[in-house]
Amino acid sequence: MGGSAPFAPRPSPTALGRWLKGERLDEGAAALIAASNAAAKARLGMIARRVLLAIPALVGVVLVSFILTRALPGDPAAYFAGPAADAESIAQIRAALGLDRSLPEQFLVYVGDLLRGDLGQSISTGQPVAEELARRLPASLELTLSALILSTLIAVPLGIAAAAKQGTWVDHACRALVTAGVSLPTFFTGIALVYVFYYLLGWAPSPLGRLDFLYLPPEPVTGFYTIDAALAGDWETFRGALAQLALPAITLALFTLAPLARMARAAMLEALGSDYVRTARAAGLGPRKVLFGVAFSNAMLPVVTTLGMVFSFTLGANVLVEKVFAWPGVGSYAVEALVVSDYAAVQGFVLAMAVLFVLLNLAIDLIYTLIDPRTRSAA
């Protein structure tokens, strides 16, 4: 990012309006419109290639998750039958679950069910896996997105300030916060926050799920309790859901804040030392214009990439936070399924996470085409 970002030429509104009306254009205006159309086609082609490349990845995820779940220790038929069951009963249950077939036969049955939209039935809960994931995924998304929004609002300004005031106390505070965020385990941070704010001060509600027993869950619209309560105008439930969300979101935000602040600081330092920033200063632009209008617009690209990576990692790895706060998300659901070798639940979780990661990467590519003109010219 050491040079100025090249921007693709755009047709003027007058030329575009004349072209839409069917008027004859001169060669320069026609060339600009042709370049704009070519850039749009290139962006669509890049998106189509990303979608096509995601298909083999999803096929690989299905195959690997199927093989790895079959390698898990334990027998799901024995767990389902109970400790008092004899060998004959376990064999009957294994046949009912289809586990007596060969692995290729089991895989073909599993793929056929997937093509029909059936993720199987969980042996630990007795419910369809698709329904379990649909009920638990909004809880994980609400927690993860809340933590990322909170950490971004803190990390990005802190990284900018640390880069702009390198070597000062602001820079040292940023480094200390990043080090603490990386070093402290999430379960330790969560337990410490519960001890201080719930046990000692009594400010926070009991860390038991998404909503205190005094409140009824809002009518599901998005699956996010805070948003659904606000849409229904139930501000009492909204405050209760927000209070339950506060401590787990802060715990996860302290963990996700570290890579975002570190990347924002590094990207801003690189941008502030680049040629185009020196040119902007020589041209007489003010410090604020240089910092936010020139440097930050270029430093935003690696921050967006890091944000996407952190979101992908956090969504599937926030199980410790969910366990500490009894949060009914997909992370705790997957761990419980692993303990009892619940094949269908584990495979459904892995597949759901893979689809989310593919969609997230596609969204990042789309954002790149909006904020970085170089991707349009290179597509």
Side-chain angles (χ1 to χ4, degrees):
M1 297 174 17
S4 60
F7 286 86
R10 295 179 179 270
S12 65
T14 303
L16 181 59
R18 289 165 51 202
W19 178 74
L20 292 175
K21 293 178 181 179
E23 299 181 10
R24 186 179 182 85
L25 302 177
D26 54 36
E27 295 182 359
L32 288 175
I33 292 177
S36 178
N37 292 335
K41 291 180 180 179
R43 291 195 295 272
L44 292 177
M46 184 185 68
I47 295 171
R49 287 194 299 272
R50 296 290 194 276
V51 174
L52 292 176
L53 289 174
I55 296 176
L58 292 177
V59 172
V61 167
V62 170
L63 180 60
V64 171
S65 63
F66 176 84
I67 295 174
L68 290 181
T69 50
R70 266 52 183 186
L72 291 173
D75 187 355
Y79 171 82
F80 187 78
D86 54 11
E88 184 179 355
S89 300
I90 294 176
Q92 291 176 355
I93 293 175
R94 185 177 291 110
L97 295 175
L99 300 178
D100 59 334
R101 304 176 183 178
S102 64
L103 286 181
E105 288 178 320
Q106 293 183 41
F107 181 72
L108 291 178
V109 171
Y110 174 59
V111 172
D113 291 339
L114 281 183
L115 294 178
R116 294 192 299 269
D118 183 9
L119 298 181
Q121 186 168 343
S122 172
I123 63 171
S124 57
T125 64
Q127 300 296 320
V129 174
E131 293 182 6
E132 291 276 0
L133 292 176
R135 186 173 67 253
R136 290 172 173 267
L137 186 59
S140 292
L141 286 174
E142 184 176 30
L143 173 59
T144 304
L145 289 175
S146 300
L148 284 180
I149 292 173
L150 180 59
S151 61
T152 302
L153 292 177
I154 298 174
V156 173
L158 184 62
I160 294 174
K165 301 181 180 299
Q166 187 179 11
T168 63
W169 69 269
V170 178
D171 191 15
H172 296 313
C174 178
R175 294 182 183 182
L177 187 60
V178 167
T179 303
V182 173
S183 304
L184 294 176
T186 53
F187 71 88
F188 173 81
T189 305
I191 292 174
L193 291 178
V194 169
Y195 178 74
V196 173
F197 292 99
Y198 169 67
Y199 181 74
L200 293 182
L201 300 177
W203 294 353
S206 59
L208 297 174
R210 304 179 67 185
L211 202 60
D212 194 86
F213 69 92
L214 297 175
Y215 304 96
L216 292 176
E219 187 69 23
V221 178
T222 64
F224 292 17
Y225 279 8
T226 52
I227 296 179
D228 291 346
L231 291 176
D234 188 355
W235 300 110
E236 190 70 24
T237 303
F238 172 81
R239 286 190 291 270
L242 190 62
Q244 293 287 137
L245 180 63
L247 287 187
I250 292 173
T251 301
L252 203 56
L254 291 175
F255 176 73
T256 58
L257 185 147
L260 293 177
R262 182 164 52 190
M263 179 54 68
R265 178 183 179 276
M268 282 298 296
L269 284 176
E270 183 179 355
L272 290 173
S274 61
D275 294 336
Y276 56 83
V277 167
R278 286 192 289 268
T279 302
R281 287 170 175 165
L285 294 180
R288 185 178 297 273
K289 182 66 175 178
V290 170
L291 184 63
F292 294 102
V294 180
F296 178 67
S297 60
N298 288 274
M300 185 170 57
L301 299 175
V303 175
V304 170
T305 304
T306 305
L307 183 62
M309 294 172 59
V310 170
F311 177 75
S312 301
F313 172 77
T314 307
L315 184 60
N318 60 2
V319 59
L320 294 177
V321 177
E322 292 184 359
K323 282 296 184 182
V324 170
F325 294 93
W327 197 263
V330 292
S332 57
Y333 175 69
V335 171
E336 294 166 1
L338 279 171
V339 171
V340 299
S341 298
D342 192 345
Y343 293 163
V346 174
Q347 290 169 172
F349 168 78
V350 174
L351 185 60
M353 291 300 101
V355 172
L356 284 175
F357 294 165
V358 168
L359 294 177
L360 181 62
N361 289 330
L362 181 60
I364 292 175
D365 290 336
L366 293 176
I367 293 174
Y368 255 74
T369 62
L370 297 176
I371 64 178
D372 186 7
R374 290 172 295 182
T375 58
R376 294 197 290 263
S377 61

